[in-house]
């Protein structure tokens, strides 16, 4: 299964990615997670990416595209993959198309999770993440059993520095101007499945499974 997850910040991509990985046994490739790991480890890439991420801007394509191509060429992607947060603009989508064509790889589905902009700020600002295992929670919509403690691994939960109202609003605008055009792009290619993301987390996953069946 070769899948792309598309949707605005806070739509539920990471949450559904965890479900999809479990169900379809494909590697989860999140460019945001890769950048955050590099920031944590203090790499050169991390230092460069951090400036953009803190302002809610896209990390430049020349830092992003090659990274994804080299990840896709690893062995565990041979039988499938799930891209989460890439591509995010037309340049990246065309880059990915060239990579896939050159390597004779087809896409199965682009899962487009749709959520109205006015719900996204509350979703992102209430998000809590586990830096240890990557699990995602929400203070109101998907709380951990014990406050600020990860259900999966027991580590403390944290808030992403870019999950504040100002930065989230900026990220939503970036999504609308740069990423949303990809909905059209993939609709024309006939591979898109539009999923209503304003439903219970389990119902959203049911709809995704139906779209992938
Ligand atoms: P994305 O990866 O698209 O930015 P996340 O999966 O991290 O989004 O979800 C953003 C926040 O919204 C998280 O705190 C998550 O727990 C919560 N969330 C995800 N899906 C839903 C949903 N269907 N209903 C309510 N809250 C949700
Ligand atoms: P969300 O789904 O909540 O927007 P992500 O974890 O996907 O969060 O991305 C966080 C940040 O990482 C983005 O705001 C952007 O700065 C950077 N980023 C992630 N993926 C890309 C990408 N494909 N191109 C450019 N920047 C990216
Ligand atoms: Zn954890």
């Amino acid at each position: 299964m070769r899948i792309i997850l598309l949707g605005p910040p806070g739509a539920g991509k990471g949450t559904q990615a965890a479900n999809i990985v479990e169900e379809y046994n494909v590697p989860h490739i999140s460019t945001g997670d890769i950048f955050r790991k590099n920031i944590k480890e203090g790499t050169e890439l991390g230092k460069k990416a951090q400036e953009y991420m803190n302002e809610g801007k896209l990390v430049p394509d020349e830092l992003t595209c090659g990274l994804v191509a080299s990840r896709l060429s690893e062995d565990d992607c041979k039988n499938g993959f799930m891209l989460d947060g890439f591509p995010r603009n037309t340049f990246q989508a065309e880059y990915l198309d060239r990579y896939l064509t050159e390597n004779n790889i087809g896409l199965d589905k682009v899962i487009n999770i749709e959520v109205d902009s006015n719900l996204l700020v509350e979703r992102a600002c209430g998000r809590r993440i586990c830096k240890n295992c990557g699990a995602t929670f929400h203070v109101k919509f998907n709380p951990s059993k014990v406050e600020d403690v990860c259900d999966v691994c027991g580590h403390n939960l944290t808030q992403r520095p870019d999950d504040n109202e100002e930065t989230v609003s900026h990220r939503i605008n970036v999504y609308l101007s740069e990423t949303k055009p990809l909905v059209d792009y993939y609709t024309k290619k006939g591979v898109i499945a539009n999923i209503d993301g304003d439903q219970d987390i389990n119902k959203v996953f049911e709809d995704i499974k139906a779209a992938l069946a």
Side-chain angles (χ1 to χ4, degrees):
M1 194 73 85
R2 297 182 174 89
I3 313 165
I4 292 174
L5 283 180
L6 202 62
K13 300 183 296 296
T15 301
Q16 298 303 330
N19 290 333
I20 293 169
V21 162
E22 202 179 333
E23 179 88 12
Y24 298 96
N25 199 23
V26 286
H28 175 198
I29 304 172
S30 156
T31 38
D33 285 352
I34 295 173
F35 291 138
R36 278 184 290 276
K37 184 165 179 276
N38 276 275
I39 291 171
K40 194 173 155 193
E41 291 170 355
T43 68
E44 274 311 304
L45 172 66
K47 283 178 198 147
K48 288 182 190 152
Q50 188 165 31
E51 293 173 37
Y52 297 94
M53 292 172 77
N54 285 345
E55 291 179 19
K57 294 179 180 161
L58 292 188
V59 176
D61 294 331
E62 52 274 26
L63 295 177
T64 308
C65 290
L67 183 95
V68 173
S70 79
R71 180 66 189 86
L72 287 175
S73 64
E74 286 179 35
D75 272 354
D76 63 336
C77 294
K78 284 227 161 63
N79 295 317
F81 53 78
M82 183 188 43
L83 283 169
D84 165 7
F86 184 95
R88 246 180 163 94
N89 59 27
T90 307
F91 181 88
Q92 294 181 5
E94 288 172 348
Y95 177 95
L96 178 66
D97 270 342
R98 281 195 299 279
Y99 175 88
L100 296 175
T101 307
E102 279 163 16
N103 290 281
N104 249 318
I105 301 168
L107 274 180
D108 291 299
K109 259 312 174 255
V110 175
I111 299 287
N112 176 37
I113 306 181
E114 301 180 291
V115 175
D116 207 76
S117 291
N118 59 30
L119 299 174
L120 296 172
V121 174
E122 189 181 10
R123 283 230 190 152
C125 291
R127 168 161 49 195
R128 296 292 182 273
I129 59 158
C130 175
K131 279 189 177 170
N132 185 52
C133 76
T136 302
F137 301 87
H138 191 282
V139 288
K140 190 163 144 196
F141 304 132
N142 186 24
S144 55
K145 292 196 183 84
V146 180
E147 201 181 318
D148 287 334
V149 176
C150 177
D151 287 358
V152 181
C153 75
H155 274 70
N156 278 345
L157 299 178
T158 54
Q159 191 170 16
R160 278 169 42 179
D162 58 344
D163 278 345
N164 60 75
E165 208 170 319
E166 192 192 341
T167 311
V168 173
S169 302
H170 188 71
R171 281 155 58 205
I172 294 168
N173 287 334
V174 170
Y175 166 81
L176 292 173
S177 62
E178 304 219 27
T179 312
K180 204 170 177 218
L182 299 185
V183 175
D184 248 8
Y185 182 91
Y186 288 114
T187 301
K188 286 189 183 123
K189 286 184 178 289
V191 290
I192 208 150
N194 294 311
I195 305 289
D196 177 5
D198 184 16
Q199 310 180 84
D200 182 83
I201 290 173
N202 295 321
K203 178 65 172 69
V204 175
F205 185 48
E206 289 305 316
D207 288 359
I208 291 175
K209 278 194 288 188
L212 292 175

